[in-house]
């Protein structure tokens, strides 16, 4: 059974510079019973690579949909 209490959904489309700011904000939270789901509307490969670089060090589950 999962301890996740909240799912945060972030939408993005080719806005890597803003996505970095959003991910850094969530990365520095002290509450950890949540997950981040990035709803990507077909961005370029740069977005996918950015998310993958965050996934290994992110304190909560980070999903790219």
């Amino acid at each position: 059974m999962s301890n996740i209490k909240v799912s945060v959904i972030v939408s993005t489309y080719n806005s890597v510079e803003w996505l970095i700011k959003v991910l850094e904000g969530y990365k520095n939270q002290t509450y950890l019973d949540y997950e981040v789901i990035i709803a990507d509307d077909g961005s370029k490969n740069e977005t996918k690579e950015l998310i993958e670089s965050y996934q290994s060090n992110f304190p909560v589950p980070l999903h790219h949909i």
Side-chain angles (χ1 to χ4, degrees):
M1 178 174 257
S2 174
N3 289 333
I4 294 174
K5 306 283 185 199
V6 177
S7 294
V8 176
I9 301 173
V10 177
S11 62
T12 189
Y13 178 71
N14 290 329
S15 298
V16 171
E17 60 281 344
W18 289 107
L19 185 56
I20 290 170
K21 294 174 192 303
V22 170
L23 291 175
E24 284 297 319
Y26 283 113
K27 185 177 177 181
N28 291 299
Q29 298 299 309
T30 56
Y31 179 81
L32 297 177
D33 291 335
Y34 71 101
E35 66 182 348
V36 176
I37 300 169
I38 301 175
D40 183 7
D41 193 23
S43 297
K44 296 178 183 173
N45 206 33
E46 184 180 18
T47 300
K48 178 184 176 194
E49 292 170 358
L50 173 72
I51 296 166
E52 287 174 350
S53 74
Y54 270 84
Q55 284 175 324
S56 63
N57 294 327
F58 215 68
V60 299
L62 176 60
H63 308 285
H64 184 203
I65 308 294

